[in-house]
Amino acid sequence: MTEKVQKATDFIRARIGEQKRLAIVLGSGLGGLADALQDAITIPYADIPGFPVSGVASHAGALMAGHIEGAPLLLLAGRVHYYEGGDAQAMAVPIQTLKALGVETIILTNAAGSLRKDVPPGSASLITDHINFSGLNPLIGAPGNERFVDLSDAYDPALCARFRAAAKNSEAELHEGVYVWFSGPSFETPAEIRATRVLGGDLVGMSTVPEVILARHAGLRVGAVSLITNYAAGMEAEELSHAMTMKVAATGADNIMKLFKAIISDLNANPL
Ligand code: HPA
């Protein structure tokens, strides 16, 4: 463990009490989960040694500990994106710190554009695999053979199955697809979206993939869900903007909250 991670771990452990096995990273539009957190202890990233602070409006930037549906968990409200400072390793310390704190499973969420007409804005989609279109990798420069991480089952198949069951049981709508990471911050071009479709992508976004790679490197079990905020570039006349991302995210909030309450309580009752 690096000194940075040790310091962050000690700092957080002294403040959050009992160990948490589950952590959820909240992307754009998933803030409702933070509101649902009971016995919440909130620690701003700015206070945690080594934690990066996001500059994106709507990404709060705090680690929260508490309970949802009686289940203990950590929430990372906000994340730093590659496009903010050009650092693909921006989330390395937070993710390694979760592992050091005893977290076993991390669920990443994000806002994404949909390439599929049958997956409209407002819907939720399980990420079953990814394509790293950025060409970047957060493990470049990492030491040792551990850096050659196997990503064959990066999106844990057992956790994916639990998500499908949780969606069914809670009557939440859950699509699934392959997420393609573009660095952003500009949106994609229509030609890039046509290329992405040919390559087998269903969703596009500007986050998550570096964290998935870091989390698998750290030995965490990974799941990921996108909240669809728009059809991808060129599919509709409407202009793409962050404001629209936030507006549409709100329309899908009820469905995704239902889904997350169900999976949180299921993972607590029957740990993987
Ligand atoms: N592209 C990239 N990132 C996004 C999109 C998109 O269409 N929508 C929300 N985040």
Side-chain angles (χ1 to χ4, degrees):
M1 195 187 312
T2 63
E3 203 183 316
K4 266 189 184 173
V5 172
Q6 184 71 62
K7 277 194 181 150
T9 305
D10 293 344
F11 183 90
I12 295 164
R13 193 174 274 146
R15 286 162 179 77
I16 62 165
E18 92 198 281
Q19 189 178 318
K20 317 282 190 283
R21 289 207 293 239
L22 174 65
I24 303 179
V25 178
L26 304 180
S28 300
L30 272 295
L33 268 188
D35 299 334
L37 193 68
Q38 289 168 328
D39 327 313
I41 297 167
T42 301
I43 314 175
Y45 291 159
D47 294 353
I48 307 175
F51 266 48
V53 176
S54 168
V56 183
S58 77
H59 283 70
L63 177 79
M64 304 174 79
H67 295 81
I68 292 178
E69 302 285 296
L73 80 171
L74 296 174
L75 298 180
L76 277 80
R79 59 151 67 81
V80 176
H81 305 78
Y82 171 75
Y83 61 71
E84 292 182 60
D87 180 9
Q89 301 175 2
M91 291 298 287
V93 170
I95 285 169
Q96 289 162 12
T97 300
L98 293 177
K99 175 71 180 177
L101 285 166
V103 168
E104 293 163 4
T105 299
I106 185 169
I107 299 175
L108 299 150
T109 67
N110 60 39
S114 172
L115 276 73
R116 289 196 358 217
K117 277 286 180 196
D118 61 331
V119 183
S123 35
S125 180
L126 184 66
I127 300 178
T128 55
D129 204 346
H130 77 228
I131 295 172
N132 183 351
F133 211 78
S134 75
L136 301 159
N137 196 299
L139 300 181
I140 289 173
N145 285 345
E146 296 78 33
R147 67 187 148 184
F148 301 112
V149 176
D150 181 2
L151 296 178
S152 305
D153 281 329
Y155 301 83
D156 189 73
L159 182 52
C160 285
R162 300 286 280 272
F163 258 110
R164 291 181 191 107
K168 204 167 168 202
N169 295 338
S170 65
E171 296 180 355
E173 195 190 12
L174 183 63
H175 300 272
E176 39 191 273
V178 172
Y179 178 89
V180 183
W181 179 33
F182 283 84
S183 75
S186 57
F187 285 98
E188 300 72 33
T189 64
E192 285 165 346
I193 293 302
R194 287 194 298 275
T196 300
R197 186 172 286 119
V198 173
L199 291 176
D202 302 298
L203 314 157
V204 283
M206 306 178 193
S207 67
T208 305
V209 167
E211 294 122 274
V212 169
I213 297 170
L214 287 164
R216 292 303 300 137
H217 184 240
L220 291 164
R221 179 183 290 114
V222 172
V225 174
S226 289
L227 175 50
I228 307 301
T229 54
N230 54 281
Y231 286 117
M235 291 174 66
E236 290 225 299
E238 204 176 344
E239 198 178 315
L240 300 176
S241 68
H242 187 62
M244 188 189 68
T245 295
M246 295 313 298
K247 192 180 98 203
V248 179
T251 69
D254 282 355
N255 181 59
I256 213 149
M257 284 291 290
K258 223 167 29 175
L259 173 70
F260 271 82
K261 285 183 174 172
I263 189 82
I264 289 165
S265 109
D266 175 53
L267 290 176
N268 186 47
N270 308 296
L272 276 164

